Amino acid sequence: MKKIYVATFGCQQNEADSETILGIAGTQGFVPVSTPEEADLILYNTCAVREHAELKALSTTGQLKHLKEKNKDLKIGLCGCMIQQEHRKEDIKNKYPYVDFVFGTNMISRLPEILETVYREKKRRFFVEDYADNPGAITEGLPVCRRYPYKAYVSIMYGCNNFCTYCVVPYVRGRERSREKDAVVAEVRRLVENGTKDITLLGQNVNSYGKDLSTPVTFAALLRELAEIPGDFVLRFMTSHPKDATSELIDTIAACPKCERHFHLPLQSGSDEILKRMNRHYTREKYLALTRELKEKIPGVSLTTDVIIGFPGETDANFEDTMKVLEEVRFDGVFSFIYSPRKGTPAEKFPDRVPEEISRARMARLLETQLAIQTENNEKFIGKTLTALCEGPSKNDPAFLSARSEEGKLIHFPAGNGGREGEFVKIKIRSAKAIMLIGEETV
Ligand code: SAH
Ligand code: SF4
C-alpha cells in the first residue's frame, strides 16, 4: 500500500476533482493520508483564477523540496488549472526540478496510466493537452472518494463558454459540456440512498446546463427530476450566471421544497460600462430585475454575489454604481476580489489599470458597508426557527456545532451531547453577527 496526500487549492470544482483523484488512486492501491510528510505521493490540485492562488500553490510546492531531499522515492505531482497554462507548465519544468509530473484538467480519467508511467519511467513527465486540440470528453463512472458522508459535490457540467474578459477559466477548463441528465439523476439517487443529505450541483454556469446535450434539457428540468428522488435531502447549486437565469428556473425553485432558498449570483460590477467590457451580457437593470423577481417569488431567499474591484478603467463613479447595487439588493454575502490580470485574457491588455492602493481603499469601503448590511439581514432571523444540516464541531470553538441552513446561513449552536453531524436540526436563533447566526436546538 502506497500513501497519497492530495491538497486542493481554489473552488468547489477542484474539491470535487480531488475526490475523484483520490477515488482513482484508491483503485491503484493508494491510501489517503493527512500530511505530506507521511506520503509516498504528493499531489497539489492548483487554481489559476487569480495570481494570489497561483503564488500560493507555487510557494507551497517550493516547501516540498526538502521532503524530496529526505526521501528520494517520493513522487510529487501537480494538476489543476494553474498547470493547464503553457507558461506555468514551463515554470514548473524549469524552476521546480523536484516536481516529477503534472497532468491537465482533462486528464483525470487517465490517472491510472499516468501513475503507471510515472512509477515505471525514471524521468519527469508533463501530461497536458491543450483544449483547442481536445474539447474534453466526459468520463462517467469514475470512482470517487468523498470527504464527507453526509454532503457531496456533483459536477453536472464542465468548462465554460462565456469568456468574460478577465477570466482564465474557459482557457484552462475548455468548452462547456454537460453530463447526461440520467447520469446525474442516477448519481444523486445513489448518494441519497446511501445517506447523503446535502447535494451541491456544480458548474461554472449551471443555468446553461443541458443546452449542449443531444436531447437538450434545462437546469430547471434537471432540478425538478432530482427533487422527485425520495428522501430527506437538500439540493444546492452553483454558480448561476445572471444572463442565463430564467423565470422557469425561479418558478421551479419557488415550488421545490428540496431546493435551497439561496442564489449565488455573481454581479462582478454594477456599472453597465464595466459589465460591457467584462463581456457579461447583462445590464445593471437586468440584474436588479432578476433579484427583484427572486425576492418576490421565493420569500426569504438569500442572495450572495461576487464582485471584482479595480477592473481596468474602473472609475470612482463606476465603483459607486457597484456600491449602489449592493445597497439596493442587500446581499447576504459578497465575495470581493481585486482584479488580477490573467495571461492570455483580453482584459490583460486593457488600458487604465487601477492602482493597487485605490482598489484596496474601494475594497475596504465595500466590506464596511456590506458587513453592516449582512448584520442587519441576519438580525431579522432572531427569534425564528431554521432547519439546518449539522456539519460537526465549529472550527473556532468546539463547544459549538456548525450547521448550514436552507438559506445557506452558517449557524452555531451549543454542542450539548454532540453527535449531530450529518443530521437535520431545528435551531431557534438567539443572536446574529455579520457572518453567522447563533442559536439553540429546539424540537
Ligand atoms: N463561473 C463563475 C465564477 C468562476 S471564478 C461565475 O461566472 O460566476 C469565481 C470568481 O472569481 C468570479 O465570479 C470573479 O468574481 C472572480 N474572478 C475571476 N477572474 C478574476 C480575475 N482575473 N481577477 C479577480 N477576480 C476574478
Ligand atoms: Fe469565468 Fe465568466 Fe466563465 Fe464564470 S462565466 S467561469 S467568470 S468566463
Side-chain angles (χ1 to χ4, degrees):
M1 279 286 188
K2 285 203 169 71
K3 295 180 192 139
I4 179 171
Y5 173 78
V6 176
T8 311
F9 298 83
C11 67
Q12 289 90 342
Q13 182 60 61
N14 262 13
E15 296 277 351
D17 285 349
S18 289
E19 293 187 339
T20 306
I21 288 170
L22 280 172
I24 299 176
T27 65
Q28 307 298 302
F30 285 87
V31 287
V33 290
S34 51
T35 61
E37 288 76 15
E38 307 164 67
D40 303 300
L41 168 62
I42 297 174
L43 265 183
Y44 284 167
N45 191 1
T46 62
C47 170
V49 84
R50 283 171 291 276
E51 188 187 24
H52 179 72
E54 294 192 315
L55 296 181
K56 208 164 123 198
L58 290 171
S59 74
T60 320
T61 305
Q63 290 161 20
L64 295 178
K65 189 175 171 203
H66 74 281
L67 286 183
K68 186 83 177 195
E69 282 161 2
K70 271 197 253 163
N71 174 9
K72 293 275 178 268
D73 294 330
L74 173 68
K75 296 280 180 211
I76 298 174
L78 299 184
C79 60
C81 295
M82 183 181 81
I83 60 88
Q84 187 68 43
Q85 303 167 104
E86 186 61 28
H87 69 288
R88 288 301 187 194
K89 192 182 87 186
E90 288 306 309
D91 281 349
I92 299 298
K93 251 186 202 164
N94 301 328
K95 299 184 203 151
Y96 296 80
Y98 42 91
V99 172
D100 297 289
F101 67 109
V102 309
F103 62 95
T105 53
N106 53 358
M107 295 250 169
I108 293 176
S109 62
R110 287 169 58 186
L111 194 57
E113 156 200 345
I114 292 173
L115 290 178
E116 199 269 326
T117 313
V118 165
Y119 275 93
R120 180 169 36 85
E121 293 180 4
K122 295 282 172 251
K123 57 179 200 258
R124 305 173 75 205
R125 293 298 299 256
F126 294 79
F127 303 92
V128 182
E129 272 178 11
D130 197 291
Y131 277 103
D133 312 322
N134 169 1
I138 294 182
T139 312
E140 288 293 348
L142 294 174
V144 182
C145 172
R146 296 195 190 269
R147 191 156 153 207
Y148 302 98
Y150 56 90
K151 64 174 182 180
Y153 293 129
V154 174
S155 299
I156 61 168
M157 61 202 296
Y158 301 91
C160 182
N161 284 354
N162 292 311
F163 290 94
C164 301
T165 53
Y166 50 81
C167 186
V168 77
V169 171
Y171 305 90
V172 295
R173 289 269 175 189
R175 289 301 63 69
E176 213 165 87
R177 51 219 187 270
S178 303
R179 287 177 67 192
E180 290 292 341
K181 177 165 72 48
D182 291 349
V184 176
V185 174
E187 182 175 351
V188 173
R189 191 183 294 279
R190 247 190 340 268
L191 284 164
V192 171
E193 282 168 1
N194 290 327
T196 304
K197 299 271 175 30
D198 187 313
I199 310 268
T200 304
L201 307 174
L202 293 180
Q204 294 300 341
N205 175 10
V206 291
N207 296 351
S208 73
Y209 168 80
K211 285 183 184 166
D212 57 315
L213 291 173
S214 51
T215 315
V217 282
T218 61
F219 180 51
L222 174 70
L223 279 178
R224 284 196 292 271
E225 198 160 328
L226 293 176
E228 275 171 25
I229 295 173
D232 199 12
F233 64 98
V234 53
L235 276 172
R236 306 186 196 273
F237 51 90
M238 73 186 316
T239 292
S240 294
H241 195 304
K243 83 177 164 65
D244 295 312
T246 58
S247 294
E248 184 207 7
L249 176 63
I250 300 174
D251 293 339
T252 297
I253 289 161
C256 167
K258 284 185 174 135
C259 295
E260 66 167 351
R261 292 190 301 281
H262 165 222
F263 254 82
H264 183 65
L265 200 60
L267 166 69
Q268 313 301 5
S269 169
S271 148
D272 284 346
E273 199 187 317
I274 299 285
L275 285 171
K276 199 164 178 42
R277 283 198 290 119
M278 285 178 163
N279 195 32
R280 290 291 287 178
H281 294 283
Y282 53 85
T283 59
R284 156 206 181 82
E285 195 34 58
K286 182 173 175 222
Y287 186 93
L288 287 171
L290 194 55
T291 59
R292 283 194 291 266
E293 185 179 350
L294 280 161
K295 287 179 183 184
E296 224 168 79
K297 292 183 172 167
I298 313 172
V301 68
S302 156
L303 296 177
T304 55
T305 200
D306 291 346
V307 166
I308 294 179
I309 297 171
F311 185 75
E314 183 188 71
T315 61
D316 283 339
N318 296 146
F319 176 67
E320 290 312 319
D321 286 338
T322 300
M323 292 298 289
K324 277 187 219 143
V325 175
L326 263 49
E327 273 160 22
E328 181 166 340
V329 178
R330 311 195 77 71
F331 290 103
D332 294 277
V334 175
F335 300 89
S336 51
F337 309 103
I338 291 179
Y339 169 71
S340 170
R342 304 287 66 211
K343 205 172 164 76
T345 60
E348 188 204 4
K349 309 234 157 45
F350 288 179
D352 305 323
R353 288 266 176 92
V354 176
E356 178 86 12
E357 60 278 16
I358 293 186
S359 293
R360 287 196 181 282
R362 287 179 186 163
M363 168 91 107
R365 231 195 94 207
L366 184 150
L367 289 178
E368 194 188 333
T369 306
Q370 182 53 32
L371 285 181
I373 292 173
Q374 277 173 224
T375 309
E376 203 185 296
N377 283 357
N378 283 348
E379 280 170 351
K380 292 188 188 133
F381 287 98
I382 294 175
K384 293 203 171 125
T385 299
L386 302 185
T387 304
L389 183 72
C390 180
E391 297 188 334
S394 143
K395 288 192 190 81
N396 306 327
D397 184 351
F400 281 80
L401 292 170
S402 290
R404 184 74 56 183
S405 81
E406 290 166 340
E407 299 81 5
K409 294 274 177 193
L410 176 66
I411 311 179
H412 282 182
F413 63 105
N417 298 329
R420 309 290 268 142
E421 189 165 337
E423 289 177 33
F424 283 108
V425 288
K426 287 201 183 312
I427 305 170
K428 184 154 187 175
I429 305 304
R430 299 286 183 204
S431 61
K433 295 186 181 174
I435 52 162
M436 66 167 162
L437 304 170
I438 300 140
E440 55 202 42
E441 211 180 327
T442 166
V443 278

